Amino acid sequence: MRTRPLKVALLGCGVVGSEVARIMTTHADDLAARIGAPLELAGVAVRRPSKVREGIDPALITTDATALVKRGDIDVVVEVIGGIEPARTLITTAFEHGASVVSANKALLAKDGTTLYDAAARHGRDLYFEAAVAGAIPLIRPLRESLAGDTVNRVLGIVNGTTNFILDRMDTAGSGYSEALDEATALGYAEADPTADVEGFDAAAKAAILAGIAFHTRVRLDDVHREGITEVTSADLASAQRMGCTVKLLAICERAADGKSVTARVHPAMIPLSHPLASVREAYNAVFVEAEAAGQLMFYGPGAGGAPTASAVLGDLVAVCRNKLNGATGPGESAYTRLPVSSMGEVVTRYHINLDVADKPGVLAQVATVFAEHGVSIDTVRQKGKDGEASLVVVTHRAADAALSGTVEALRKLDTVRGVASIMRVEGE
Ligand code: NDP
Ligand code: HSE
């Protein structure tokens, strides 16, 4: 074993960074044996230097992250600050000054992964980011390496722990939305600004990363259709329960049947209770990958939280250090297919629509006509009348999303439709 240590700079020492530092210290001997050289924590950049950080030598703390990555003797920079800047500049500066990078920053990778990949390739460094998608679950490496010889056609799953925690609490414990969000934040699952979680930005960033790697193309955050969970009500959850379903925030990345384009989307959807994703509770994540030769693979585990995420970061750190000692680098960006990303309107899916309508002769026929005019076939209809009003629940067969949203728009214009109480896509059947 080499006695000269590999020097690690830790940028950020919050929920994830503090766990990375703890595991590096408590498992130092095992990590050294697995890498073939000891690791040395050479500096820790934070925003608030006076904060007490258990187990960390105060002499290592700095607020000057730029000076730390420019030192020239750092082997690996671990970026767990989050956000776009200064993270992006710090990472590219680290590459320029001789370091490889491990990051958990999905927001940055989805927004400007190309800049990071290019800088890493230009300087002959590694860029690893297993922790950026689905916390502890090994998913990036299986897609980038284990499935590099196969053709992935679909990636579908729950990739945000906070929203899954909230929906699970609302569904099974009757918790209120705000109460469940506060709990997820206290447990360290939520982003610094939880809007990123509840509005679907975090899951959309992960979908962009997964789609890019799975389909060997470039997919950016703006290419991903995004809807969060802020509009999901307890009435939606109750309605889902009546249909033998539950509601999950899903990320779905698909290659078109002709193989000439891809789509990526994040939105809440009803899934049957019999589907494996329905039993994914709390902040757990689960992702299905469908590949031509491999068939269907399922990845499941803790999707957020300090220690689970640190596990993924440490795995990358070991891999990058091994590469460094071997004078090699791991895989870079693979975007050779250059497949275009189609819009949400072209996605084929099913809708569950809950309408408040007048309870009088001909209304059902009027509603059915609107569906027929838009080429959308109805699967089931359930009606419950009360005092001249009725609640009409329509579940469609599969149709293009543009046709489904056109149908809803036309339904809203009918005099006999008092309101559209809820619209939700149905997946997983
Ligand atoms: P936190 O907000 O808990 O920690 C952020 C850390 O970065 C803090 O230590 C903060 O310093 C430091 N920091 C912020 N700005 C600067 C700056 N300009 N210069 C130096 N240090 C700075 O975030 P998390 O640990 O939760 O998340 C970190 C990253 O990991 C994010 O990219 C996130 O998306 C990702 N991630 C998080 C997961 C989770 O479950 N929490 C799971 C998977 C990925 P100070 O301590 O002084 O405030
Ligand atoms: N905020 C993210 C989540 C952290 O809740 O899934 C893990 O990426």
Side-chain angles (χ1 to χ4, degrees), residues 261-297:
S261 61
V262 298
T263 52
R265 56 189 160 119
V266 165
H267 54 73
M270 287 187 183
I271 50 167
L273 291 172
S274 56
H275 193 280
L277 288 178
S279 51
V280 176
R281 306 281 310 273
E282 305 215 317
Y284 278 76
N285 285 185
V287 178
F288 285 92
V289 175
E290 288 172 21
E292 243 170 57
Q296 198 173 67
L297 308 167

Side-chain angles (χ1 to χ4, degrees), residues 90 166-167 266 331 370:
L90 289 168
I166 295 170
L167 291 172
V266 165
V370 170

Side-chain angles (χ1 to χ4, degrees), residues 11-17 45-49 51 53 62-63 65 79-83 86 90 104-106 131-132 135 188-192 202 303-306 309:
L11 309 185
C13 192
V15 172
V16 179
V46 296
R47 209 172 17 187
R48 295 166 295 164
K51 190 177 168 208
R53 297 174 200 267
T62 176
T63 52
E79 185 277 306
V80 279
I81 289 177
L90 289 168
N105 195 336
K106 53 269 170 141
Y189 303 148
E191 294 302 302
D202 178 80
T309 308

